[in-house]
Amino acid sequence: MNGLLDPVLDFAERYRRPLTIIGVIWFALSWADTARFIDLPKIPLLTGTAAMWVSTAYNAIWWGFLNPRIERRRKERADLTTAGAKNG
């Protein structure tokens, strides 16, 4: 399973900060627009109820699935590097 996720995790780790910033801004704007705190132009998947649910799913996948696995892979790679340095 890790072999299939490695390219996704590598991409997500490389662009971790922009993915986080985009997710937080998208989430906040879509919820604020849906709650009518602000009035944004109607752009599919960026504003409205659909955007609210898509941005919520994006953040759930990012914070609940990908981000913890990135941390775990980073730790595994560091442990392998440390073990390799000790053995070699």
Side-chain angles (χ1 to χ4, degrees):
M1 181 71 174
N2 273 348
L4 297 175
L5 279 180
D6 280 343
V8 174
L9 293 176
D10 289 340
F11 176 84
E13 185 173 6
R14 188 175 317 118
Y15 296 105
R16 185 178 191 173
R17 185 170 296 218
L19 289 172
T20 299
I21 292 169
I22 289 168
V24 169
I25 291 170
W26 184 22
F27 180 79
L29 286 177
S30 66
W31 275 85
D33 182 58
T34 302
R36 297 193 177 128
F37 293 137
I38 59 174
D39 189 30
L40 296 173
K42 300 305 173 208
I43 303 169
L45 292 182
L46 292 179
T47 59
T49 306
M52 179 187 70
W53 293 113
V54 173
S55 69
T56 301
Y58 171 87
N59 278 289
I61 291 167
W62 176 247
W63 292 109
F65 181 74
L66 287 176
N67 211 26
R69 279 165 181 74
I70 289 169
E71 288 297 324
R72 194 174 316 134
R73 288 289 290 157
R74 182 180 289 158
K75 187 174 186 290
E76 288 173 2
R77 288 178 181 173
D79 290 347
L80 287 174
T81 304
T82 305
K86 287 181 183 177
N87 291 335

